[in-house]
């Protein structure tokens, strides 16, 4: 039997194995650290807490001050940069809406934004201007106009109403017919007279629905009725007082107007009486003049025109120009609505209304006006727009039969209700 000897490995092979084993069992190149654990296989189990970097905050750049210059790296003089902020997402938290990107990824383009400028201011509503001419200087009978303006009732309806006083009592209707003003105040008798003369006037509202005119004569002259006016000096301020009211008073008594000495005293009715330049005045405001003259020591007697054959009529009305009516309908309707509101407030608060009148028109603060205020309240029209067709028809018929107007004008051309525009 032949026996073979076992061949042993060479010394070079053995030395290579020992070197490899030494390298595998030695610490990492950094020195002093623990061996790196093997990476886990697959996904982490459920319930594991995961550290997710919060993107968007770039780590701080290293300081510009460095020491050393070896090829192994640079060391900063400041403290080490803090680690990026992290957010913990544990079990049960909703997953991230979008997966995180790379930390070294360049930031994307800025998201467009909208610049919001201040809102454009809202334009105020249009304002309609109306010039209204009074029939006389301001008086308590103008209360609805004054209060509506003072309490903003016109302004709330988009109106700017300007009130003016005529230089002559006969001027308002003429200026209105010539389109120099938008509206004018007068009395119903003058409306009938002017329309008969061809002026394009029409009534659109009533402020005082009862006659306030009267014949006021000096006491002690023996004038007990219109029949005693022959040979007397009678003052007047306007055409309707001279041509309509006085003519109606004289007609039943057979006294001709030529037998009466007529004097135009304009606004100076009280002065003409107190200076004894006239024996009486026609068309005077009976709620004011007797008290005013009494305060000056002049005793008077008063004759109400409706008690001496003059039909009932409106004492103060608002007129418009019929030729311009189409372009003013809406503004006039709003103005008359404001007058109605003002009148209702005046009748409900007479004392406060009087105080407002004095605050707005200090010239009204006289004993005569204060005494007349309760009487004025009784005659203010609570429905300024309403038209009494029968009253206007009767008055027109009376004037026509008396020969004071040439044409018989229908009521539709004399007066209208702006609410029916």
């Amino acid at each position: 039997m032949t026996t073979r000897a076992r061949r042993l490995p060479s010394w070079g092979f053995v030395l290579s194995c020992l070197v490899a084993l030494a390298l595998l069992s030695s610490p990492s190149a950094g020195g002093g650290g623990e061996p790196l654990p093997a990476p886990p296989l697959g996904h982490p189990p459920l319930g594991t807490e995961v550290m997710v970097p919060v993107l968007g905050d770039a780590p701080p750049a290293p300081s510009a001050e460095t020491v050393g210059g070896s090829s192994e790296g640079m060391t900063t003089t400041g403290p080490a940069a803090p680690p990026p902020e992290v957010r913990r997402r544990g079990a049960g938290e909703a997953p991230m809406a979008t997966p995180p990107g790379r930390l070294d990824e360049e930031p994307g383009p800025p998201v467009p934004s909208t610049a919001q400028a201040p809102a454009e201011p809202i334009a105020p509503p249009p304002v309609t201007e109306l010039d209204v001419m009074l029939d006389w200087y301001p008086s308590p009978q103008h209360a609805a106009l004054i209060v509506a303006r003072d309490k903003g009732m016109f302004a709330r309806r988009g109106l700017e109403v300007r009130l003016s006083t005529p230089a002559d009592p006969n001027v308002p209707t003429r200026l209105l017919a010539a389109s120099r003003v938008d509206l004018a105040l007068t009395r119903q008798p003058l409306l009938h007279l002017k329309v008969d003369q061809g002026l394009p006037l029409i009534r659109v509202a009533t402020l005082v629905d009862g006659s306030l005119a009267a014949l006021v004569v000096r006491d002690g002259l023996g004038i007990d009725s219109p029949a005693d006016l022959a040979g007397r000096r009678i003052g007047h301020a306007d055409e309707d007082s001279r041509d309509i009211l006085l003519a109606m008073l004289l007609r039943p008594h057979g006294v001709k107007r030529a037998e009466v000495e007529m004097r135009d005293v304009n606004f100076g009715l009280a002065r003409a009486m107190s200076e004894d330049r006239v024996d009486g005045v026609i068309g005077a405001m009976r709620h004011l003049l007797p008290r005013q003259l009494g305060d000056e020591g002049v005793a008077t007697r008063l004759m109400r025109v409706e008690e001496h054959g003059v039909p009932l009529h409106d004492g103060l009305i608002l007129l418009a120009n019929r030729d311009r009516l189409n372009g003013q309908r809406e503004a006039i309707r709003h103005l008359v609505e404001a007058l109605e509101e003002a009148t209702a407030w005046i009748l409900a608060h007479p004392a406060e209304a009087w105080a407002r009148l004095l605050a707005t028109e200090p010239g009204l603060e006289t004993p005569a006006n204060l005494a007349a205020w309760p009487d004025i309240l009784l005659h203010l029209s609570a429905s300024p727009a309403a038209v009494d067709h029968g009253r206007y028809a009767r008055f027109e018929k009376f004037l026509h039969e008396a020969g004071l107007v040439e044409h018989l004008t229908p009521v539709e051309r004399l007066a209208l209700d702006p609410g029916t525009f």
Side-chain angles (χ1 to χ4, degrees):
M1 178 174 70
T2 303
T3 304
R4 295 181 178 180
R6 181 180 298 173
R7 187 177 178 178
L8 297 174
S10 65
W11 284 105
F13 174 78
V14 173
L15 181 61
S16 299
C17 291
L18 290 174
V19 171
L21 181 62
L23 291 173
L24 291 175
S25 61
S26 65
S28 59
E34 294 294 329
L36 294 175
L41 300 178
H43 298 286
L46 295 177
T48 302
E49 192 171 12
V50 181
M51 308 293 285
V52 181
V54 179
L55 303 181
D57 294 332
S63 172
E65 300 178 3
T66 60
V67 293
S70 66
S71 61
E72 296 180 358
M74 293 186 299
T75 304
T76 63
T77 57
E85 181 183 359
V86 297
R87 176 168 54 87
R88 299 182 181 274
R89 181 162 59 89
E93 183 176 348
M96 297 180 65
T98 56
R102 293 176 53 188
L103 295 179
D104 59 351
E105 194 170 313
E106 292 293 332
V111 179
S113 60
T114 302
Q116 295 185 356
E120 292 292 335
I122 300 176
V127 175
T128 302
E129 298 178 353
L130 290 175
D131 290 315
V132 180
M133 179 159 283
L134 304 181
D135 60 317
W136 204 259
Y137 47 81
S139 167
Q141 64 186 9
H142 304 133
L145 280 167
I146 297 172
V147 167
R149 182 191 62 183
D150 180 56
K151 289 182 66 64
M153 297 173 183
F154 291 139
R156 288 199 299 270
R157 292 168 170 85
L159 302 177
E160 181 182 342
V161 178
R162 294 188 291 261
L163 306 179
S164 59
T165 300
D168 185 312
N170 294 306
V171 164
T173 53
R174 299 175 188 174
L175 294 179
L176 178 59
S179 300
R180 300 286 297 277
V181 295
D182 298 303
L183 299 162
L185 291 177
T186 191
R187 300 152 301 280
Q188 183 184 341
L190 188 60
L191 167 67
H192 291 261
L193 184 64
K194 290 301 181 179
V195 170
D196 187 65
Q197 295 173 358
L199 272 62
L201 307 178
I202 192 164
R203 172 264 182 213
V204 293
T206 299
L207 277 69
V208 176
D209 58 11
S211 175
L212 299 178
L215 172 66
V216 179
V217 297
R218 188 183 300 274
D219 194 20
L221 297 180
I223 304 176
D224 300 322
S225 78
D228 301 322
L229 293 179
R232 297 296 182 176
R233 303 166 300 168
I234 303 299
H236 66 90
D238 36 52
E239 297 175 59
D240 56 324
S241 299
R242 179 193 65 198
D243 298 338
I244 293 182
L245 297 183
L246 184 62
M248 288 182 174
L249 293 179
L250 298 176
R251 188 169 179 266
H253 303 283
V255 178
K256 299 183 182 299
R257 203 180 71 176
E259 300 178 51
V260 179
E261 182 181 345
M262 300 298 300
R263 295 188 178 184
D264 186 352
V265 296
N266 202 279
F267 286 115
L269 297 175
R271 177 176 295 181
M273 288 284 287
S274 62
E275 294 177 355
D276 198 20
R277 291 188 281 117
V278 295
D279 301 316
V281 291
I282 183 66
M285 289 179 283
R286 64 193 187 205
H287 58 288
L288 290 175
L289 188 60
R291 171 62 188 267
Q292 184 178 353
L293 290 173
D295 291 342
E296 296 177 8
V298 180
T300 59
R301 298 188 60 180
L302 183 144
M303 302 180 195
R304 291 175 172 83
V305 295
E306 67 272 19
E307 296 176 356
H308 291 271
V310 179
L312 293 175
H313 58 276
D314 293 341
L316 187 64
I317 58 178
L318 186 66
L319 303 184
N321 187 316
R322 191 170 58 243
D323 294 341
R324 300 176 58 200
L325 196 57
N326 287 336
Q328 296 179 321
R329 289 178 184 270
E330 184 176 0
I332 291 175
R333 183 169 62 248
H334 290 327
L335 182 141
V336 177
E337 290 172 357
L339 290 179
E340 183 174 8
E341 181 184 356
T343 303
W345 184 84
I346 291 170
L347 296 177
H349 308 88
E352 186 177 351
W354 177 248
R356 279 187 173 268
L357 288 178
L358 297 184
T360 305
E361 298 290 342
L364 296 179
E365 192 170 6
T366 66
N369 283 333
L370 179 59
W373 183 237
D375 188 36
I376 289 292
L377 293 174
L378 296 176
H379 293 90
L380 293 181
S381 177
S383 300
V387 179
D388 187 338
H389 285 74
R391 171 175 288 188
Y392 279 79
R394 289 190 298 270
F395 203 87
E396 178 70 9
K397 181 180 179 181
F398 183 88
L399 293 177
H400 186 259
E401 291 178 349
L404 298 176
V405 297
E406 183 178 354
H407 309 94
L408 191 61
T409 304
V411 175
E412 291 73 18
R413 292 186 63 81
L414 292 169
L416 57 79
D417 182 344
T420 61
F421 281 1

